[in-house]
């Protein structure tokens, strides 16, 4: 607590531009679930994360590098430049849903997620992995195997995992948009609540 207070005091003493530039970054690399598909992005869970971080006194700023339709392959293509530009203290990886929706091989997804975690860690970031569940129409065998990939990567790489971003949301059709894949604006706080307990410890040095 004393350490956080000293950081806050030091930050307040800096010019605004310098303070923003030197604030530790939380970089969110995700797909449409984090990009705020179908809703005002200012109401998305990542925007709410920035608000909660500020409200609870952490000095971090949030950079949302999420893109609708993004896959783990696309994430690997974009991540090096994002790491170089933002030098994040925390990297949140929320990718894989589109790999699953396209029926990609689990081995490819596992390798890509592993490489994303390693790249983030080698850049000095603390890494959080966020998983999702596929719709039940993909069949139990595929959906269970898909879910297991996140758990395997997290265990092998020793990084914290939020197993299911849409926990308590995907099961409630009133909280989902008409496509049945994306949560409504009203559900975004629940998504953040699913992430926050696992993310918050990574904000500490």
């Amino acid at each position: 607590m004393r350490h956080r207070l000293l950081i806050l005091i030091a930050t307040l003493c800096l010019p605004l531009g310098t303070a923003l530039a030197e604030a530790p970054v939380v970089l969110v690399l995700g797909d449409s679930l984090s990009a705020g598909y179908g809703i005002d992005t200012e109401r998305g869970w990542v925007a709410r994360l920035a608000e909660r971080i500020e409200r609870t006194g952490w000095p971090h700023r949030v950079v949302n590098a999420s893109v609708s339709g993004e896959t783990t392959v696309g994430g690997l293509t974009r991540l090096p430049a994002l790491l170089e530009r933002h030098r994040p203290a925390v990297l949140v990886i929320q990718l894989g849903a589109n790999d699953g929706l396209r029926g990609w091989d689990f081995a490819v997804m596992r390798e890509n997620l592993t490489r994303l975690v390693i790249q983030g860690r080698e850049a000095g970031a603390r890494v959080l992995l966020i998983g999702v569940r596929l719709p039940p129409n993909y069949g139990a065998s595929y959906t269970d195997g898909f879910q297991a990939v996140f758990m395997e990567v997290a265990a092998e790489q020793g990084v914290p995992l939020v197993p299911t971003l849409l926990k308590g949301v995907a099961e409630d059709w009133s909280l989902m948009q008409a496509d049945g894949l994306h949560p409504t604006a009203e559900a975004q706080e629940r998504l953040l609540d699913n992430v926050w307990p696992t993310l918050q410890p990574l904000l500490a040095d």
Side-chain angles (χ1 to χ4, degrees):
M1 184 67 181
R2 180 174 178 272
H3 181 62
R4 288 170 55 190
L5 182 59
L6 289 174
I7 292 176
L8 179 59
I9 293 172
T11 301
L12 292 174
C13 292
L14 292 171
L16 179 58
T18 303
L20 288 175
E22 295 184 357
V25 170
V26 177
L27 176 65
V28 180
L29 182 69
D31 53 35
S32 56
L33 296 175
S34 297
Y37 176 87
I39 64 173
D40 186 337
T41 56
E42 294 183 357
R43 301 183 66 187
W45 80 263
V46 178
R48 290 169 184 253
L49 170 63
E51 295 170 356
R52 185 175 295 187
I53 285 176
E54 181 179 5
R55 188 168 63 249
T56 53
W58 294 100
H60 301 65
R61 64 185 179 91
V62 176
V63 174
N64 192 355
S66 303
V67 175
S68 292
E70 188 69 288
T71 63
T72 56
V73 172
L76 279 172
T77 301
R78 294 194 298 123
L79 184 57
L82 290 168
L83 292 172
E84 177 66 25
R85 178 179 179 183
H86 298 291
R87 302 188 181 279
V90 178
L91 171 64
V92 178
I93 301 171
Q94 185 275 297
L95 290 174
N98 290 303
D99 298 39
L101 291 174
R102 298 177 186 192
W104 285 7
D105 187 89
F106 295 150
V108 174
M109 177 179 159
R110 184 183 299 107
E111 179 182 356
N112 291 345
L113 286 174
T114 299
R115 289 173 60 192
L116 287 166
V117 170
I118 292 173
Q119 286 183 21
R121 193 156 43 200
E122 289 181 344
R126 293 179 289 279
V127 179
L128 171 63
L129 186 61
I130 298 179
V132 295
R133 288 198 66 87
L134 291 177
N137 58 294
Y138 277 75
S141 177
Y142 190 82
T143 56
D144 289 347
F146 172 83
Q147 185 77 28
V149 170
F150 297 102
M151 295 184 284
E152 292 164 2
V153 172
E156 290 169 3
Q157 295 302 314
V159 297
L161 169 70
V162 176
T164 310
L165 177 62
L166 300 183
K167 181 180 179 181
V169 172
E171 304 88 344
D172 185 344
W173 282 103
S174 69
L175 296 175
M176 299 296 290
Q177 296 181 40
D179 61 9
L181 297 173
H182 298 94
T184 63
E186 291 72 23
Q188 300 298 312
E189 192 72 20
R190 296 197 187 188
L191 269 60
L192 176 55
D193 287 341
N194 288 338
V195 174
W196 183 252
T198 310
L199 174 60
Q200 186 179 17
L202 300 182
L203 301 178
D205 290 337

